[in-house]
Amino acid sequence: QGAGAVAPGALPSSPGTAGESARIEDTYAVIDQLLARIRRTPRRTSFDELAEHRLLERRAMLRVHAHRRPGRAQVPAAGWVHGDFHPYNLMYGADSTEPLAIIDWDRLAIRPRAEEAVRAAVIFFLRPDGSLDLAKVRAYARAYRAATEADGEELAAATRRVWWERLNDFWMLRWHYELRDNRADPQFAAVAALIVWWTRNTAAVRDAFSG
């Protein structure tokens, strides 16, 4: 099962309620904690400089876009989803262009299927400069809607909720500064740039998923 897949017995067509979206007050606290850690670093690196810049930028963005926080919303379909569907969790054979297996199922859960599809797309089609390849997103979304019978409204709502989730998320920096785990560091520049680009191109991204 891949992004937004529905497994037997998962009540795939039953409506559900999307959980509460991130609270800005909680995000501000995380930003302050991360900034404090960075500023205590005795020998700052280019990663530290970029991290501080992005944290300050994100705090300013949250102030501007606070009114766009999604509320608790009804979702038309939920099902078993992978929870972390991206290229690094796909295994290919030596001579195959089709994936042979999907790995890393520790986040498997019943969740809104369209949100999982949006999360996967923004990982698969992220460019190094932090923009999305919207032509590929559009083709992917059309195929997804055709396969699942999800409509444009469902995808538009999911896109907004995932945008807000990304705006409030700092898991890569928390790995780096709190867990001393640097495995995600190479991805940080593009992922941090994505939310800035996405916020500036909200309508175009929504239309690519829902149009």
Side-chain angles (χ1 to χ4, degrees):
Q1 311 288 339
V6 180
L11 300 178
S13 298
S14 62
T17 302
E20 290 287 351
S21 53
R23 291 173 7 105
I24 289 180
E25 295 81 3
D26 297 334
T27 305
Y28 285 161
V30 172
I31 290 173
D32 289 343
Q33 291 164 11
L34 289 170
L35 285 172
R37 287 177 178 270
I38 293 169
R39 289 165 180 169
R40 288 196 302 266
T41 302
R43 295 182 179 178
R44 288 163 66 107
T45 65
S46 58
F47 184 92
D48 297 322
E49 298 294 336
L50 177 61
E52 182 177 40
H53 168 73
R54 291 303 191 189
L55 286 165
L56 294 171
E57 176 184 58
R58 196 75 64 86
R59 188 160 60 187
M61 290 173 66
L62 284 163
R63 290 190 183 116
V64 172
H65 298 286
H67 65 286
R68 297 175 63 187
R69 178 193 179 205
R72 183 178 286 273
Q74 291 295 314
V75 293
W80 287 107
V81 297
H82 181 276
D84 193 22
F85 189 69
H86 57 71
Y88 297 111
N89 281 335
L90 296 178
M91 296 183 67
Y92 294 86
D95 301 316
S96 174
T97 59
E98 295 295 324
L100 299 178
I102 303 171
I103 62 172
D104 195 4
W105 291 86
D106 60 296
R107 298 185 187 179
L108 179 70
I110 296 178
R111 297 191 179 103
R113 63 182 185 182
E115 291 178 31
E116 174 81 344
V118 173
R119 288 189 198 97
V122 299
I123 296 172
F124 274 92
F125 306 125
L126 176 64
R127 291 169 167 156
D129 65 356
S131 64
L132 293 175
D133 187 330
L134 292 183
K136 290 182 178 179
V137 169
R138 189 179 299 277
Y140 163 95
R142 285 177 175 170
Y144 176 82
R145 294 198 309 272
T148 63
E149 298 183 356
D151 60 21
E153 184 177 345
E154 181 180 350
L155 266 293
T159 302
R160 182 184 176 192
R161 292 184 66 85
V162 175
W163 165 80
W164 182 260
E165 178 184 285
R166 288 298 191 98
L167 188 63
N168 286 268
D169 182 47
F170 300 99
W171 73 267
M172 290 181 181
L173 295 184
R174 299 191 78 166
W175 273 27
H176 181 94
Y177 291 108
E178 296 175 5
L179 303 179
R180 302 299 178 187
D181 186 332
N182 300 332
R183 285 177 295 169
D185 287 5
Q187 304 173 53
F188 176 69
V191 169
L194 169 63
I195 194 58
V196 179
W197 180 90
W198 190 345
T199 302
R200 292 173 179 166
N201 296 274
T202 300
V205 176
R206 182 195 62 231
D207 291 348
F209 277 104
S210 63

